[in-house]
């Protein structure tokens, strides 16, 4: 199950992402918004919670720039949210960071690229090995702060 959320700036792109992923066979948990003006931290928190409680495997968050969503999501321990606007980053944040949330900006990239980023983000597995040691260090930072 993939959690998807947006604010008003990301609503149209969220609908595109959801229909694309649904067509590809993914199950989607749509956590809003539904186009109305809303505050992105509330949506980021809802997506994060559904990943941490294991109802969802990964999440995609969309706002105007993707920045607000990524700042908010990364405040939650256990969430590794990557703001992506290029293919390489979307792939390597899975391989090296085991990112569990990808944030995208509806006002910064087009629909075609956004769908490509969603595909590669969801299809790429974490490499583990030396990268796990680095994630362990991130958990240590979370636990000490
Ligand atoms: C909303 O206008 C905008 O501030 C929001 O979508 C996002 O870009 C914040 O980072």
């Amino acid at each position: 199950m993939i959690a998807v959320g947006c604010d008003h700036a990301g609503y149209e792109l969220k609908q595109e992402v959801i229909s694309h992923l649904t067509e590809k066979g993914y199950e989607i948990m749509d956590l809003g918004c539904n186009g109305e003006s809303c505050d992105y931290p509330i949506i980021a928190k809802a997506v994060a919670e559904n990943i941490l409680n294991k109802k969802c495997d990964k999440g995609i968050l969309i706002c105007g720039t993707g920045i607000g969503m990524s700042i908010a999501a990364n405040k939650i321990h256990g969430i590794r949210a990557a703001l992506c606007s290029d293919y390489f980053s979307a792939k390597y944040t899975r391989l090296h960071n085991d990112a569990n949330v990808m944030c995208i900006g509806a006002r910064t990239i087009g629909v075609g690229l956004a769908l490509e980023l969603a595909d590669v983000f969801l299809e790429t597995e974490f490499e583990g090995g030396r990268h796990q040691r680095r994630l362990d260090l991130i958990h240590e930072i979370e636990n000490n702060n």
Side-chain angles (χ1 to χ4, degrees), residues 7-9 40 63-69 107:
D7 71 355
H8 47 284
Y40 59 79
C63 63
T65 57
I67 296 172
M69 286 292 195
R107 293 172 176 163

